[in-house]
Amino acid sequence: MLETLQQLLWSGDLIYATLRLTTPLLFAALGGLMCERAGVLNIGLEGMMLGGALTAYVVALRMGNPWLGILAALFVGAITGLLFAVVVVTFRANQIVSAVGMNILMLGLTGVALRAAVGLSIGQSPAPTIPIWEIPGLAGLPLIGPVLFAHLPFVYLVFVLAGAMAFIFYRTTWGLAIRAVGENPRAAETVGIDVIRVRYATVVWSGIFAAVGGAILSIGYLNTFQEGLTAGRGFIAFSAIIFGRYTPLGTLLASLLFGFTDALQLRIQAFGVQIPYQFLVVLPYIVTLLALFVAGRSKGPAASGLPYAPGEE
Amino acid sequence: MKSGLSKRLEGLRSIGLGQALSWTLPIWAVLIAFLVGSVIIAGAGANPIQAYAALFRGAVGNGGLVATTLVKSIPLMLAGLSVVLAYRASVFNIGGEGQIYMGALFAVWGGTLLHLPAGVHLPIVLALGMVGGFLWSAIPGYLKAARGFNEVIVTIFMNYIAVAIVSYLVHGPMRESGWNYQSRAVDESARLPIILPGTSLHLGLVVALAAAVLAHILLFHTTLGYRLRMVGFNAEAARYAGVKVTLITVLAMALSGALAGLAGAVEIAGVQFRLLEGFSPGWGFDAIAVALVGQLHPAGVLLAALFFGALRTGANSMQTAVGLPMVVVQVIQGLTVLFMMIGAAVQHYGLWRPARREK
């Protein structure tokens, strides 16, 4: 028993899978973090991920090039972000319910588009995938080389981006503007910050980030797309932001925890431990709930979720 | 300067709480959703006019189809009412799907394990369904009210967990031996009788109508309903007035769950008779569109549920006639929700104009 547990936990495979599974989550979470710091709650991350996943798959399949798939996903992510921004920033519609509507819409749209693009053979044709990029010199290291330095390029990129985001948030005027808009938009406006523009920009970026996260799932890992492929990862990403207390580092650590849980449940399944798979599959959700419970109240930006009209007293 | 909480509630009102929205708004939202939907259908390579014609014929083309539409509307009516109860208290219950599963599970337990005389068995089975939904949704209600959780996220996760529990049970302990992944069927005495001979229309329709009347009475003619709406309108003011906001919030979520649970139980007792993996095609999510289009009003919910029930029924024919997948329904629903929200916000804040001044 103890030996099994040891085999289960002390393995490079588990760390490898953790990094792998954290990456799409963290992409979406970083995007969500950006717009949440600017005061826009984005529960639509799930739908945005789904849109990116489908776009990347269809374009990669049709064009025979995974990088074109990523490019197309970036574009579609920006469009979805823009549309969401129009609804919640310009029209000031309720952010939570609009995002729920957005998720339903994206579930439907991706289903229709998949059928239109690939026909009835849903998800059967494998798309060309992003190749693994072994970091020269480092990948050859014993033990840690294959675990840490033989991943998709996006795995390295997302950790760099998390660091970059911390830098942007706390060391640049742009980051200051984002945080000011999220905490007190009125005050931000009086010092000359264009609140609407900052919110638009961050929501569009969140769409792009989430779409990349989705694209990694479809043409990075699975080589295919099926309806509802993201299976709640966008919501887990949203929770990672709360659990990470609205900071880039916290969000990174929270995403790692959830990525680890996912890796662990897959590994337990592969080990053939006598636990029904249905309970293993929901392990990430349960851990997320427990994490939120343990974390207690996590205070978001003061103006989070509130619409803003410029030029008002 | 308003406090954060009451400002937040200001935002909640823009979903139609505490203000009279124009009754034409849902009609516009649906029409525009269909219009945008037609562009998407055309983009998918089908003729939108043919598609919508097939949709219409497939929903109400003959008596049998009308009965099917009614049958499909029943869970939407109950789940829609469920959403209304929660939203009226500013609680966003996205957990209808999980609560439907829990209600169905409890109903199947009652229908297979208890053996009671006809006339007693059925009401008990339906009540058990409500208990299942009540208990399941009391958890996120408590987490929101007492621990400050975002209920949207919690209810979504609990959907996955409920679906997994049911999936496990029908694969394992509750699986009927020798059959597919399904439970035993509930006793005859636990089933809802057919009310229109020759069709599938069952007594669940009457149950749903009665639930709408009761929900209306609860919301608008009882102290509890008044407090519930007060919390939804302005939690801080309600607290000042001596309302136990935490208790009301938990209760709103739990009662909402009870109605969703009833939707699951009615579907079991009226249509399915046994528990199957994935037996709900997403009613818990459809219910959100139903509630919003129904203007968060029980009578409106009944009409909206009929509309979305027709959409689901008609989508079957649309699939065979023009080859569009069923998920087109989701496209229309998602668009409807978005346009409802935009419409409500525009009515609340005005178009392109600054928001009303804060006092």
Side-chain angles (χ1 to χ4, degrees), chain A residues 90 92 232 278 293 307 312, chain B residues 147 160 167 349 352-353 356:
Chain A
T90 298
R92 286 170 273 167
Q278 290 95 345
F293 197 79
E312 205 191 340
Chain B
R147 310 275 306 197
Y160 289 109
S167 164
Y349 294 114
W352 313 120
R353 284 198 314 271
R356 287 175 199 156

Side-chain angles (χ1 to χ4, degrees), chain A residues 25 42 56 60 67-68 89 109 138 148 166 204 218 299-300:
Chain A
L25 275 186
N42 191 351
W67 297 106
L68 287 176
V89 179
L109 265 185
L138 294 174
L148 298 182
V204 167
S218 66
K299 209 173 144 293

Side-chain angles (χ1 to χ4, degrees), chain B:
Chain B
M1 192 66 199
K2 287 185 177 182
S3 79
L5 183 64
S6 69
K7 278 175 89 179
R8 194 175 296 263
L9 290 167
E10 186 82 15
L12 291 184
R13 265 175 235 153
S14 68
I15 70 165
L17 294 166
Q19 63 172 332
L21 284 174
S22 159
W23 65 272
T24 54
L25 183 61
I27 299 171
W28 282 111
V30 167
L31 279 179
I32 299 174
F34 267 91
L35 205 64
V36 176
S38 69
V39 176
I40 291 163
I41 290 172
N47 180 333
I49 297 171
Q50 279 175 7
Y52 287 150
L55 187 76
F56 184 75
R57 274 199 310 275
V60 290
N62 62 50
L65 289 170
V66 172
T68 308
T69 290
L70 284 171
V71 171
K72 293 206 179 198
S73 306
I74 295 167
L76 292 179
M77 289 175 179
L78 290 166
L81 291 170
S82 146
V83 172
V84 169
L85 274 195
Y87 279 27
R88 282 280 178 173
S90 277
V91 186
F92 296 98
N93 182 6
I94 317 290
E97 195 71 2
Q99 292 144 17
I100 286 171
Y101 273 85
M102 281 297 147
L105 174 60
F106 274 55
V108 167
W109 275 337
T112 54
L113 301 178
L114 300 176
H115 303 290
L116 300 166
V120 184
H121 203 177
L122 178 64
I124 288 186
V125 162
L126 296 183
L128 276 172
M130 294 182 81
V131 171
F134 185 96
L135 294 176
W136 192 248
S137 63
I139 302 170
Y142 166 78
L143 290 176
K144 175 190 169 66
R147 310 275 306 197
F149 276 40
N150 179 318
E151 75 275 24
V152 174
I153 290 296
V154 178
T155 49
I156 285 169
F157 288 154
M158 291 194 62
N159 286 339
Y160 289 109
I161 297 170
V163 170
I165 290 174
V166 167
S167 164
Y168 162 70
L169 289 173
V170 298
H171 278 80
M174 286 174 71
R175 184 175 171 193
E176 187 177 27
S177 56
W179 291 93
N180 290 329
Y181 298 126
Q182 58 185 34
S183 74
R184 271 195 299 136
V186 295
D187 290 357
E188 286 288 344
S189 55
R191 298 183 187 183
L192 285 158
I194 298 287
I195 52 172
L196 196 63
T199 71
S200 52
L201 187 61
H202 57 81
L203 194 65
L205 184 64
V206 178
V207 175
L209 295 178
V213 173
L214 288 176
H216 188 273
I217 293 172
L218 172 75
L219 274 174
F220 301 107
H221 298 286
T222 66
T223 325
L224 175 63
Y226 178 72
R227 290 194 176 136
L228 197 140
R229 287 184 292 128
M230 212 168 149
V231 169
F233 191 75
N234 188 336
E236 220 164 293
R239 204 188 303 274
Y240 273 119
V243 175
K244 293 186 177 112
V245 175
T246 308
L247 179 72
I248 295 288
T249 306
V250 178
L251 214 53
M253 184 62 116
L255 286 175
S256 164
L259 275 173
L262 182 61
V266 163
E267 184 66 13
I268 292 295
V271 180
Q272 313 268 355
F273 307 131
R274 40 181 104 235
L275 199 56
L276 289 135
E277 189 176 24
F279 82 94
S280 162
W283 292 312
F285 300 104
D286 298 359
I288 299 158
V290 169
L292 291 174
V293 170
Q295 303 256 44
L296 301 183
H297 207 283
V301 163
L302 295 181
L303 291 175
L306 280 176
F307 172 72
F308 284 109
L311 206 59
R312 276 219 174 264
T313 312
N316 273 326
S317 324
M318 190 170 64
Q319 191 165 22
T320 40
V322 293
L324 279 169
M326 286 283 284
V327 281
V328 169
V329 175
Q330 253 112 322
V331 174
I332 306 268
Q333 267 172 16
L335 287 169
T336 306
V337 170
L338 285 172
F339 289 122
M340 271 306 289
M341 297 318 296
I342 291 175
V346 166
Q347 249 195 316
H348 184 69
Y349 294 114
L351 190 62
W352 313 120
R353 284 198 314 271
R356 287 175 199 156
R357 279 188 184 196
E358 288 178 6
K359 290 188 186 93

Side-chain angles (χ1 to χ4, degrees), chain A residues 115-137:
Chain A
R115 187 69 67 88
V118 217
L120 279 166
S121 59
I122 289 179
Q124 291 309 305
S125 359
T129 53
I130 310 272
I132 298 281
W133 183 53
E134 298 190 351
I135 298 182

Side-chain angles (χ1 to χ4, degrees), chain A residues 248-298:
Chain A
L249 182 65
T251 303
L252 169 79
L253 293 175
S255 301
L256 273 172
L257 172 68
F258 301 148
F260 169 76
T261 313
D262 212 4
L264 184 66
Q265 67 92 2
L266 285 171
R267 199 165 162 74
I268 298 173
Q269 280 193 51
F271 252 64
V273 177
Q274 290 303 311
I275 302 173
Y277 76 90
Q278 290 95 345
F279 294 136
L280 292 171
V281 171
V282 294
L283 198 60
Y285 311 121
I286 294 173
V287 168
T288 310
L289 283 175
L290 287 176
L292 290 174
F293 197 79
V294 171
R297 281 173 204 269
S298 167

Side-chain angles (χ1 to χ4, degrees), chain A residues 92-105:
Chain A
R92 286 170 273 167
N94 181 284
Q95 294 172 2
I96 294 175
V97 185
S98 302
V100 170
M102 171 102 174
N103 287 333
I104 299 174
L105 172 65

